[in-house]
Amino acid sequence: MNGSYAKQSDGAPVNQHQSSPSNSHSHILDERTDLTRWRLLDERGRQTWHCLQSDEQARSWPQSIADKYFLGLPTDLPRLSKAETPLASVHNALSYFSQLQLPPGNWACEYGGPLFLLPGLVIAWYVTETPVPDHISIEIRRYLFARQHPEDGGWGLHIEGESSVFGTAMNYVVLRLLGASAEDKRLVKARALLHKLGGAVNGPHWAKFWLSVLGCMDWDAVNPVPPELWLLPDWVPIAPWRWWIHMRQVFLPMSYIASKGFRYPLTPLTRQLRKELYTQPYASINFASHRNSIASTDNYHPKTTFLNTVNHFLVRLWNPFLRTSFIRRRAEDWAFNLIQREDENTDYANLGPVNGPMNLLACYIHDGPDSYSVERHRQRMHDFLWMKDEGMLMNGTNGVQTWDTAFLVQAAVEAGVAGDPRYKHMLIKALEFLDDQQIREDCREQEVCYRQRRKGAWAFSTREQGYTVSDCTSEAMKSVILLQHLPGFPKLVSDERIEDAVDTLLTMQNPSGGFASYEPTRGSQYMEYLNAAEVFGRIMIEYDYPECTTAVVTALSLFTARQDPEYRKDEIKDTITKAVSWILKDQRADGSWNGSWGICFTYAGMFALESLASVGRTYSNDDKVRLACQFFLDRQMADGGWGESYKSCSTGVYTPHEKSQVVQTCWVIIALLEAQFPEREPVEKAVNLVMSRQQEDGSWEQEAIEGVFNKSCMISYPNYKFIFPIKALGMFARRFGDPKA
């Protein structure tokens, strides 16, 4: 990277090639790059943004339509004739969305929403002395200011959430590390809110960890994260291999770094931050007394008495008296060995943007600043960065490439337009991408690093990231089968490779009959008594998810019906039977299913009714399907649409949005059509609403956030506003004809 950290007069790092801020802080903070210089490079699904520095570079690499769209620039796509029928609306949408397909065949998008990701990255950059180019510093600052709460000046856990200590303290630190002045009126306002909430000592565990790494908090304030847990025999009920994959892959480098007690040497800036983040002088704070301090805004999952007792034992007895240097070294060595295996298995892409920066820091500590591992991690951090009209954010993974591409294929097929010559090239490119992204081999010594079988699977994003996901594998396999059975489409994925995907799915069912996400459930729900994250729920183990279970049911049903009715037919039949039983059992008394990855009851209900239809259970023959349809009909809004608030996810109670949402309306349309709901009028009313909001170029405007994880944090799926209207409107036309609106 070009550029490096230097220090302003107040200690804030700026790029050495950046102009001096001597006259005005607002000159820096209101600075923005030329958006016409930005380009998205997609190399077999690996997406990185580049800011071109010269006119010659810009001429030789013109901006694509997709680049302009992502950056909020005029795409110059033509105005289309207003769609008067559902199929005309589908064609208008595909006319637009096909222009956003990237050369490898996938679609890309902002996968933002969480506001706790950039802080880990920027702090890791700072303490590893990683150079940060001007254009990245400028655009991260611009994004965070754009997402600052307009009233109280803070930041929340996600972009639609209320301000919290976690969001406010950590994003305040990011802005200061990237050159913002403490006297900027926006930071003055943020600091006032932070102090009103009690200061950074009231942040959750992850905030205290990163502030201690930075040297702006004492490690005494951080509850223990002992790497010795990795030495426990596998049979121990709380052994980390039993934890949910995201939890254990975050705990792994966190435990190594905490055991090393890494603290970046104080700089003028971090000395100043020690003054700004607290409500009393730093030297007067008894940090040990604040291990369990947390603001009510952040305390979504309060620590249990059991966890507090365990932490007390670790702090008072284990660390000072029982933890020998031999045990510590052995634990650190094994933890770092597992970190290396994670890096090797993903080519340093890592599971996600939380453990990625932590692994960077762990390698910096162990291997040194000039090592290959550190340099490769530095390169890979750019896979998570996303540029948009508001600035630069950090995506929730390295993308949604496989997931969104699979859904678009299904939408085109279900809409009945996959055979249209206008879309054949687009769909063949999508098939080529899915062919390329199937994982062909298992991890080396996968049992040693506790990895699930992955041969034949698809990941959420890319093959390089390399993590099996049950619903991603299911949706990708469905898309491949659907396209390869259409006339005129090549057979790129062999029967053997599709069978590999089936084989992997059959390893993932839980004894309950349900399916989790990355691997079968390995631990007890009682493990949540050890949930130390505080801001998230249901984070310690894998759970049965309606979305994952239903995806596997529809995939295996399609495989048997279209691909090979004889392959492992008894096992597949038994798997589907158990899964359907779980789906029916998981349905609530009011007819709904509680979603875990989208908002919320609306999202899960769509998948549930699709899966039940795949095994012949529809409105005409099943009471539970009729009950589910009634749940939706009772919540249809006056304008014909449906809208559900993200608060449903955190409360577990259906909460209507103040306005109907195009994406959620389409989810319900699809659900009712899959269920073969007999009445046309409520569905047609919803279809007309969706069509009425379509723009002149065939697109739809972005509305409320669509996704969720761990109950409390929302995340964006902006391509859904194309994919699901295409599917819903096309399905309606196939069922009821193509009437004028």
Side-chain angles (χ1 to χ4, degrees), residues 551-610:
V552 175
V553 168
T554 55
L556 293 180
S557 297
L558 181 68
F559 174 82
T560 300
R562 296 279 194 92
Q563 182 72 20
D564 189 341
E566 297 300 319
Y567 184 77
R568 300 185 70 173
K569 65 177 182 179
D570 291 337
E571 294 162 271
I572 290 174
K573 181 179 179 181
D574 185 57
T575 297
I576 291 174
T577 299
K578 291 178 179 177
V580 169
S581 177
W582 182 88
I583 293 166
L584 295 173
K585 182 180 177 181
D586 190 57
Q587 187 180 28
R588 293 186 172 190
D590 62 4
S592 68
W593 285 267
N594 189 354
S596 297
W597 303 106
I599 300 171
C600 171
F601 297 95
T602 314
Y603 186 69
M606 172 186 66
F607 285 109
L609 291 178
E610 179 188 20

Coordinates of all heavy atoms in Angstrom, one line a residue, residues 551-610:
A551 N -34.0 -25.1 3.5 CA -33.2 -25.1 2.2 C -32.7 -26.5 1.9 O -32.7 -26.9 0.7 CB -32.0 -24.2 2.4
V552 N -32.3 -27.2 2.9 CA -31.9 -28.6 2.7 C -33.0 -29.5 2.2 O -32.8 -30.3 1.2 CB -31.2 -29.2 3.9 CG1 -30.9 -30.7 3.7 CG2 -30.0 -28.4 4.4
V553 N -34.2 -29.3 2.7 CA -35.3 -30.1 2.3 C -35.6 -29.8 0.8 O -35.8 -30.8 0.0 CB -36.6 -29.8 3.1 CG1 -37.8 -30.3 2.5 CG2 -36.4 -30.3 4.5
T554 N -35.7 -28.6 0.4 CA -36.0 -28.3 -1.0 C -34.9 -28.7 -1.9 O -35.1 -29.2 -3.0 CB -36.2 -26.8 -1.2 OG1 -35.1 -26.0 -0.7 CG2 -37.5 -26.3 -0.4
A555 N -33.6 -28.7 -1.5 CA -32.5 -29.1 -2.3 C -32.5 -30.6 -2.5 O -32.4 -31.1 -3.6 CB -31.2 -28.7 -1.7
L556 N -32.7 -31.4 -1.4 CA -32.7 -32.8 -1.5 C -34.0 -33.3 -2.3 O -33.9 -34.3 -3.1 CB -32.7 -33.4 -0.2 CG -31.4 -33.3 0.6 CD1 -31.4 -33.9 2.0 CD2 -30.2 -33.8 -0.2
S557 N -35.1 -32.6 -2.1 CA -36.3 -32.9 -2.9 C -36.1 -32.7 -4.4 O -36.5 -33.6 -5.2 CB -37.5 -32.1 -2.4 OG -37.8 -32.4 -1.0
L558 N -35.4 -31.6 -4.7 CA -35.2 -31.3 -6.1 C -34.2 -32.3 -6.7 O -34.3 -32.8 -7.8 CB -34.6 -29.9 -6.3 CG -34.3 -29.5 -7.7 CD1 -35.6 -29.4 -8.5 CD2 -33.5 -28.2 -7.7
F559 N -33.2 -32.7 -5.9 CA -32.2 -33.7 -6.4 C -32.8 -35.0 -6.7 O -32.6 -35.6 -7.7 CB -31.1 -33.9 -5.3 CG -30.1 -35.0 -5.6 CD1 -29.0 -34.7 -6.4 CD2 -30.3 -36.2 -5.1 CE1 -28.1 -35.8 -6.7 CE2 -29.4 -37.3 -5.4 CZ -28.3 -37.0 -6.2
T560 N -33.7 -35.4 -5.8 CA -34.4 -36.7 -6.1 C -35.3 -36.6 -7.2 O -35.4 -37.6 -8.0 CB -35.2 -37.1 -4.8 OG1 -34.3 -37.3 -3.7 CG2 -35.9 -38.4 -5.0
A561 N -36.0 -35.5 -7.4 CA -37.0 -35.4 -8.5 C -36.4 -35.2 -9.8 O -36.8 -35.7 -10.9 CB -38.0 -34.2 -8.2
R562 N -35.3 -34.4 -9.9 CA -34.7 -34.0 -11.2 C -33.4 -34.7 -11.5 O -33.0 -34.8 -12.7 CB -34.5 -32.5 -11.2 CG -35.7 -31.6 -11.1 CD -36.5 -31.5 -12.4 NE -37.4 -30.4 -12.3 CZ -37.2 -29.2 -12.6 NH1 -36.0 -28.8 -13.1 NH2 -38.2 -28.3 -12.5
Q563 N -32.6 -35.0 -10.5 CA -31.2 -35.4 -10.8 C -31.0 -36.9 -10.7 O -30.6 -37.5 -11.7 CB -30.3 -34.7 -9.7 CG -28.8 -35.0 -9.9 CD -28.2 -34.3 -11.1 OE1 -28.7 -33.3 -11.6 NE2 -27.1 -34.8 -11.6
D564 N -31.3 -37.5 -9.6 CA -31.1 -38.9 -9.5 C -32.0 -39.5 -8.4 O -31.7 -39.4 -7.2 CB -29.6 -39.2 -9.2 CG -29.3 -40.7 -9.2 OD1 -30.2 -41.5 -9.2 OD2 -28.1 -41.0 -9.3
P565 N -33.1 -40.1 -8.8 CA -34.0 -40.7 -7.7 C -33.5 -41.9 -7.0 O -34.1 -42.2 -5.9 CB -35.3 -41.0 -8.6 CG -34.7 -41.3 -9.9 CD -33.6 -40.3 -10.1
E566 N -32.4 -42.4 -7.4 CA -31.9 -43.7 -6.8 C -30.7 -43.4 -5.8 O -30.4 -44.2 -4.9 CB -31.4 -44.7 -7.9 CG -32.6 -45.2 -8.7 CD -33.6 -45.9 -7.9 OE1 -33.3 -46.6 -7.0 OE2 -34.8 -45.6 -8.2
Y567 N -30.0 -42.3 -6.1 CA -28.7 -42.1 -5.3 C -29.1 -41.9 -3.8 O -29.8 -41.0 -3.4 CB -28.0 -40.9 -5.8 CG -26.6 -40.7 -5.1 CD1 -25.5 -41.4 -5.4 CD2 -26.5 -39.7 -4.1 CE1 -24.3 -41.2 -4.7 CE2 -25.3 -39.4 -3.5 CZ -24.2 -40.3 -3.8 OH -23.0 -40.1 -3.1
R568 N -28.6 -42.8 -3.0 CA -28.8 -42.7 -1.5 C -30.2 -42.4 -1.1 O -30.5 -41.6 -0.2 CB -27.8 -41.7 -0.9 CG -26.4 -42.0 -1.1 CD -25.4 -41.1 -0.4 NE -25.4 -41.3 1.1 CZ -24.6 -40.7 1.9 NH1 -23.7 -39.8 1.4 NH2 -24.7 -40.9 3.2
K569 N -31.2 -43.0 -1.9 CA -32.6 -42.6 -1.8 C -33.1 -42.9 -0.4 O -34.0 -42.1 0.1 CB -33.4 -43.3 -2.9 CG -33.5 -44.8 -2.7 CD -34.4 -45.4 -3.8 CE -34.6 -46.9 -3.6 NZ -35.5 -47.5 -4.7
D570 N -32.8 -43.9 0.2 CA -33.3 -44.2 1.6 C -32.8 -43.2 2.6 O -33.6 -42.7 3.4 CB -33.0 -45.6 2.0 CG -33.7 -46.7 1.2 OD1 -34.7 -46.4 0.6 OD2 -33.2 -47.8 1.1
E571 N -31.6 -42.9 2.5 CA -31.0 -41.9 3.5 C -31.6 -40.5 3.2 O -31.9 -39.7 4.1 CB -29.5 -41.8 3.3 CG -28.8 -43.1 3.8 CD -27.4 -43.1 3.2 OE1 -27.2 -43.7 2.1 OE2 -26.5 -42.7 3.9
I572 N -31.8 -40.1 1.9 CA -32.4 -38.9 1.6 C -33.8 -38.8 2.1 O -34.3 -37.8 2.7 CB -32.3 -38.6 0.1 CG1 -30.8 -38.3 -0.3 CG2 -33.1 -37.4 -0.3 CD1 -30.6 -38.2 -1.8
K573 N -34.5 -39.9 1.8 CA -35.9 -39.9 2.3 C -36.0 -39.7 3.8 O -36.9 -39.0 4.3 CB -36.6 -41.2 1.8 CG -38.0 -41.3 2.2 CD -38.6 -42.6 1.7 CE -40.1 -42.8 2.2 NZ -40.7 -44.0 1.7
D574 N -35.2 -40.5 4.5 CA -35.2 -40.4 6.0 C -34.8 -39.0 6.4 O -35.4 -38.4 7.4 CB -34.2 -41.4 6.5 CG -34.3 -41.5 8.1 OD1 -35.3 -41.7 8.6 OD2 -33.2 -41.3 8.7
T575 N -33.8 -38.4 5.8 CA -33.4 -37.0 6.1 C -34.5 -36.0 5.9 O -34.8 -35.2 6.8 CB -32.1 -36.6 5.3 OG1 -31.1 -37.5 5.6 CG2 -31.7 -35.2 5.6
I576 N -35.2 -36.1 4.8 CA -36.3 -35.2 4.5 C -37.4 -35.4 5.5 O -38.0 -34.4 6.0 CB -36.8 -35.4 3.1 CG1 -35.7 -34.9 2.1 CG2 -38.1 -34.6 2.8 CD1 -36.0 -35.2 0.6
T577 N -37.7 -36.6 5.8 CA -38.8 -36.9 6.7 C -38.5 -36.3 8.1 O -39.4 -35.6 8.7 CB -39.0 -38.4 6.9 OG1 -39.4 -38.9 5.6 CG2 -40.1 -38.7 7.9
K578 N -37.3 -36.5 8.6 CA -37.0 -35.9 9.9 C -36.9 -34.4 9.9 O -37.3 -33.7 10.8 CB -35.6 -36.5 10.3 CG -35.6 -37.9 10.7 CD -34.2 -38.4 11.1 CE -34.2 -39.9 11.4 NZ -32.8 -40.4 11.7
A579 N -36.4 -33.8 8.8 CA -36.4 -32.4 8.6 C -37.8 -31.8 8.6 O -38.0 -30.7 9.2 CB -35.6 -32.0 7.4
V580 N -38.6 -32.3 7.8 CA -40.0 -31.8 7.8 C -40.7 -31.9 9.1 O -41.4 -31.0 9.5 CB -40.8 -32.6 6.7 CG1 -42.3 -32.2 6.8 CG2 -40.3 -32.3 5.3
S581 N -40.4 -33.0 9.8 CA -41.0 -33.1 11.2 C -40.5 -32.0 12.1 O -41.3 -31.4 12.8 CB -40.6 -34.5 11.7 OG -41.1 -34.6 13.1
W582 N -39.2 -31.7 11.9 CA -38.7 -30.6 12.7 C -39.3 -29.2 12.3 O -39.7 -28.4 13.2 CB -37.2 -30.5 12.6 CG -36.6 -29.4 13.4 CD1 -36.2 -29.4 14.7 CD2 -36.4 -28.0 13.1 NE1 -35.8 -28.2 15.2 CE2 -35.9 -27.3 14.2 CE3 -36.7 -27.3 11.9 CZ2 -35.7 -25.9 14.2 CZ3 -36.4 -25.9 11.9 CH2 -35.9 -25.2 13.0
I583 N -39.5 -29.0 11.0 CA -40.1 -27.8 10.6 C -41.5 -27.6 11.1 O -41.9 -26.5 11.6 CB -40.1 -27.7 9.0 CG1 -38.7 -27.6 8.5 CG2 -40.9 -26.5 8.5 CD1 -38.6 -27.9 7.0
L584 N -42.3 -28.6 11.1 CA -43.6 -28.6 11.6 C -43.6 -28.3 13.1 O -44.4 -27.6 13.7 CB -44.4 -29.8 11.3 CG -44.6 -30.1 9.8 CD1 -45.2 -31.5 9.5 CD2 -45.5 -29.0 9.2
K585 N -42.7 -29.0 13.8 CA -42.6 -28.8 15.3 C -42.1 -27.4 15.6 O -42.6 -26.8 16.6 CB -41.6 -29.8 15.8 CG -41.4 -29.8 17.3 CD -40.4 -30.8 17.8 CE -40.2 -30.8 19.3 NZ -39.2 -31.8 19.8
D586 N -41.3 -26.8 14.8 CA -40.8 -25.5 15.0 C -41.8 -24.4 14.8 O -41.6 -23.2 15.2 CB -39.5 -25.2 14.2 CG -38.8 -23.9 14.6 OD1 -38.4 -23.8 15.7 OD2 -38.6 -23.1 13.7
Q587 N -42.9 -24.7 14.1 CA -43.9 -23.7 13.8 C -44.6 -23.2 15.1 O -44.9 -24.1 16.0 CB -45.0 -24.2 12.9 CG -46.0 -23.2 12.4 CD -47.0 -23.8 11.4 OE1 -47.3 -25.0 11.5 NE2 -47.6 -23.0 10.6
R588 N -44.8 -21.9 15.3 CA -45.4 -21.4 16.5 C -47.0 -21.6 16.4 O -47.5 -21.9 15.3 CB -45.1 -20.0 16.7 CG -43.7 -19.7 17.0 CD -43.4 -18.2 17.3 NE -42.1 -18.0 17.8 CZ -41.7 -16.8 18.4 NH1 -42.5 -15.8 18.4 NH2 -40.5 -16.7 18.8
A589 N -47.6 -21.5 17.5 CA -49.0 -21.7 17.6 C -49.8 -20.7 16.7 O -50.9 -21.0 16.2 CB -49.5 -21.5 19.0
D590 N -49.2 -19.5 16.4 CA -49.9 -18.6 15.5 C -49.7 -18.8 14.0 O -50.1 -18.1 13.2 CB -49.5 -17.1 15.9 CG -48.0 -16.9 15.7 OD1 -47.3 -17.7 15.2 OD2 -47.6 -15.7 16.1
G591 N -48.9 -19.9 13.7 CA -48.6 -20.2 12.3 C -47.3 -19.8 11.8 O -47.0 -20.0 10.6
S592 N -46.5 -19.1 12.6 CA -45.3 -18.5 12.1 C -44.0 -19.3 12.5 O -44.1 -20.2 13.3 CB -45.1 -17.1 12.7 OG -44.9 -17.2 14.1
W593 N -42.9 -18.9 11.8 CA -41.6 -19.4 12.2 C -40.7 -18.2 12.5 O -40.8 -17.2 11.8 CB -41.0 -20.2 11.0 CG -41.6 -21.6 10.8 CD1 -41.2 -22.8 11.3 CD2 -42.8 -21.9 10.0 NE1 -42.0 -23.8 10.9 CE2 -43.0 -23.3 10.1 CE3 -43.6 -21.1 9.2 CZ2 -44.0 -23.9 9.4 CZ3 -44.7 -21.8 8.6 CH2 -44.8 -23.2 8.6
N594 N -39.9 -18.4 13.5 CA -39.0 -17.3 13.9 C -37.7 -17.4 13.1 O -36.9 -18.3 13.3 CB -38.7 -17.4 15.4 CG -38.0 -16.1 15.9 OD1 -37.6 -15.3 15.2 ND2 -37.8 -16.1 17.2
G595 N -37.4 -16.4 12.2 CA -36.2 -16.4 11.4 C -35.0 -16.0 12.2 O -35.0 -15.3 13.2
S596 N -33.8 -16.5 11.7 CA -32.6 -16.2 12.3 C -31.6 -15.4 11.4 O -30.6 -14.9 11.9 CB -31.9 -17.5 12.8 OG -32.7 -18.2 13.7
W597 N -31.8 -15.4 10.1 CA -30.9 -14.7 9.2 C -31.5 -13.7 8.3 O -30.8 -13.0 7.6 CB -30.3 -15.8 8.3 CG -29.6 -16.9 9.1 CD1 -30.1 -18.2 9.3 CD2 -28.4 -16.8 9.8 NE1 -29.2 -18.9 10.1 CE2 -28.2 -18.1 10.5 CE3 -27.4 -15.8 10.0 CZ2 -27.1 -18.3 11.3 CZ3 -26.3 -16.1 10.8 CH2 -26.2 -17.3 11.4
G598 N -32.8 -13.5 8.4 CA -33.5 -12.4 7.7 C -34.6 -11.9 8.6 O -35.0 -12.6 9.6
I599 N -35.2 -10.8 8.3 CA -36.3 -10.2 9.1 C -37.6 -10.7 8.7 O -38.0 -10.4 7.6 CB -36.2 -8.7 9.1 CG1 -34.8 -8.2 9.6 CG2 -37.3 -8.0 9.9 CD1 -34.5 -6.8 9.4
C600 N -38.2 -11.4 9.5 CA -37.8 -12.3 10.6 C -38.8 -13.4 10.5 O -38.5 -14.5 9.9 CB -37.9 -11.6 11.9 SG -37.7 -12.7 13.3
F601 N -40.0 -13.2 10.9 CA -41.1 -14.2 10.7 C -41.5 -14.2 9.3 O -41.8 -15.3 8.7 CB -42.3 -13.8 11.6 CG -42.0 -13.8 13.1 CD1 -41.6 -12.7 13.8 CD2 -42.1 -15.0 13.8 CE1 -41.3 -12.7 15.1 CE2 -41.8 -15.1 15.1 CZ -41.4 -14.0 15.8
T602 N -41.4 -13.1 8.6 CA -41.7 -13.0 7.1 C -40.7 -13.9 6.4 O -41.1 -14.7 5.5 CB -41.6 -11.6 6.7 OG1 -42.3 -10.7 7.6 CG2 -42.3 -11.4 5.3
Y603 N -39.4 -13.7 6.6 CA -38.4 -14.4 5.9 C -38.5 -15.9 6.2 O -38.5 -16.7 5.2 CB -37.0 -13.9 6.4 CG -35.8 -14.4 5.7 CD1 -35.5 -14.0 4.4 CD2 -34.9 -15.2 6.4 CE1 -34.4 -14.5 3.8 CE2 -33.7 -15.6 5.8 CZ -33.5 -15.2 4.5 OH -32.3 -15.7 3.9
A604 N -38.6 -16.3 7.4 CA -38.6 -17.8 7.7 C -39.9 -18.4 7.2 O -39.8 -19.6 6.7 CB -38.5 -18.0 9.2
G605 N -41.0 -17.7 7.2 CA -42.2 -18.3 6.7 C -42.2 -18.6 5.2 O -42.7 -19.6 4.7
M606 N -41.5 -17.7 4.4 CA -41.3 -18.0 3.0 C -40.6 -19.3 2.8 O -41.1 -20.2 2.0 CB -40.5 -16.9 2.3 CG -40.2 -17.2 0.9 SD -39.1 -15.9 0.1 CE -37.6 -16.1 1.1
F607 N -39.5 -19.5 3.5 CA -38.7 -20.7 3.3 C -39.5 -22.0 3.8 O -39.4 -23.0 3.2 CB -37.4 -20.6 4.0 CG -36.4 -19.7 3.3 CD1 -36.1 -18.5 3.9 CD2 -35.8 -20.1 2.1 CE1 -35.1 -17.7 3.2 CE2 -34.9 -19.3 1.5 CZ -34.6 -18.1 2.0
A608 N -40.2 -21.8 4.9 CA -40.9 -22.9 5.4 C -42.0 -23.4 4.5 O -42.1 -24.6 4.2 CB -41.5 -22.5 6.8
L609 N -42.8 -22.5 3.9 CA -43.8 -22.9 3.0 C -43.3 -23.4 1.7 O -43.9 -24.4 1.1 CB -44.8 -21.7 2.8 CG -45.6 -21.4 4.0 CD1 -46.5 -20.2 3.7 CD2 -46.5 -22.5 4.5
E610 N -42.2 -22.9 1.2 CA -41.5 -23.5 0.1 C -41.1 -24.9 0.3 O -41.3 -25.8 -0.6 CB -40.3 -22.7 -0.3 CG -39.6 -23.2 -1.6 CD -38.3 -22.5 -1.8 OE1 -37.7 -21.8 -0.9 OE2 -37.8 -22.6 -3.0

